[in-house]
């Protein structure tokens, strides 16, 4: 088994079993249309982030890039805006 594969497997398992700081409703988050990313203030001063593509793929955990806290995003898939793929192919 390659080292990269092992790291990805461990990260995937850790992501499913990690503790969640808080559960946040999607409508309480801020959506950036340019980056197609939802954010929410983190107690550390940074922001939790999760991409629209991740939400559309069924992911529901937003990470803070500056600390170890994570939040679970509560949402219904039909409430999500449509992915604007043309932004990434311009």
């Amino acid at each position: 088994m390659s080292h990269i594969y092992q790291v990805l497997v461990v990260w995937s398992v850790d992501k499913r079993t990690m503790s969640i700081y808080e559960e946040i409703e999607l409508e309480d988050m801020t959506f950036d249309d340019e980056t197609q990313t939802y954010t929410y203030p983190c107690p550390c001063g940074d922001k939790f982030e999760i991409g629209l593509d991740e939400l559309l793929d069924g992911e529901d955990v937003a990470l803070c890039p500056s600390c170890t806290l994570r939040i679970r995003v509560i949402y219904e898939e039909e409430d999500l805006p449509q992915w604007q793929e043309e932004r990434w192919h311009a």
Side-chain angles (χ1 to χ4, degrees):
M1 189 181 309
S2 76
H3 177 68
I4 292 174
Y5 179 76
Q6 290 173 340
V7 169
L8 289 175
V9 169
V10 169
W11 181 80
S12 178
V13 169
D14 285 348
K15 193 169 183 184
R16 286 194 308 263
T17 60
M18 69 191 151
S19 63
I20 300 297
Y21 169 70
E22 193 172 358
E23 292 188 344
I24 302 296
E25 297 282 338
L26 184 67
E27 58 264 14
D28 294 331
M29 299 182 79
T30 302
F31 183 67
D32 183 323
D33 192 48
E34 187 68 30
T35 62
Q36 300 283 286
T37 303
Y38 283 91
T39 59
Y40 187 80
C42 180
C44 79
D46 205 343
K47 295 180 180 180
F48 295 102
E49 301 175 350
I50 190 166
L52 176 57
D53 58 333
E54 294 171 289
L55 293 168
L56 289 169
D57 284 342
E59 292 289 327
D60 65 352
V61 176
L63 308 174
C64 176
S66 297
C67 72
T68 60
L69 294 178
R70 292 156 172 78
I71 58 172
R72 183 166 319 281
V73 181
I74 309 301
Y75 70 100
E76 297 292 330
E77 191 168 334
E78 59 267 9
D79 295 335
L80 295 173
Q82 289 190 336
W83 175 253
Q84 298 182 11
E85 193 168 335
E86 63 273 4
R87 289 187 184 277
W88 306 107
H89 295 288

